[in-house]
Amino acid sequence: MPHIGIKMLEGRTEEQKKKAAEAVKTALAQSLGMSDHYITVTIEDFDAHEWQDVFKTEITDKPDKVYVKPQYDPKSLI
């Protein structure tokens, strides 16, 4: 552990996802001072309509868990 779950709008290639997952894994390992051997990463894609629910449950409903706050209105994606 830790495990990182990335949720984003659909449209990225598998290569982009793999590159992003590796970059996040490396950055987390460096910032925590640990081996990346224990870090796992998943990526889930959503369309703009599905994102409305994800935004509510993962961001709006958990303000104390969001360390980087959104700077956009999710409705602007529809």
Side-chain angles (χ1 to χ4, degrees):
M1 88 93 172
H3 172 75
I4 303 161
I6 300 172
K7 297 177 180 179
M8 62 181 157
L9 288 180
E10 60 192 359
R12 276 64 173 215
T13 66
E14 285 300 309
E15 183 178 328
Q16 288 173 314
K17 292 176 195 177
K18 288 176 184 177
K19 188 174 179 179
E22 285 295 324
V24 169
K25 178 183 82 168
T26 299
L28 184 64
Q30 289 175 350
S31 65
L32 295 179
M34 64 181 291
S35 169
D36 68 1
H37 177 77
Y38 299 101
I39 299 171
T40 57
V41 181
T42 56
I43 296 179
E44 296 177 74
D45 294 323
F46 298 90
D47 68 31
H49 291 283
E50 293 169 325
W51 186 252
Q52 305 307 302
D53 291 332
V54 173
F55 191 93
K56 181 181 181 322
T57 59
E58 296 291 323
I59 299 168
T60 304
D61 292 350
K62 299 179 182 179
D64 58 323
K65 305 274 187 215
V66 179
Y67 285 84
V68 178
K69 306 294 182 188
Q71 297 181 18
Y72 71 98
D73 180 349
K75 291 181 176 116
S76 68
L77 303 173
I78 298 177

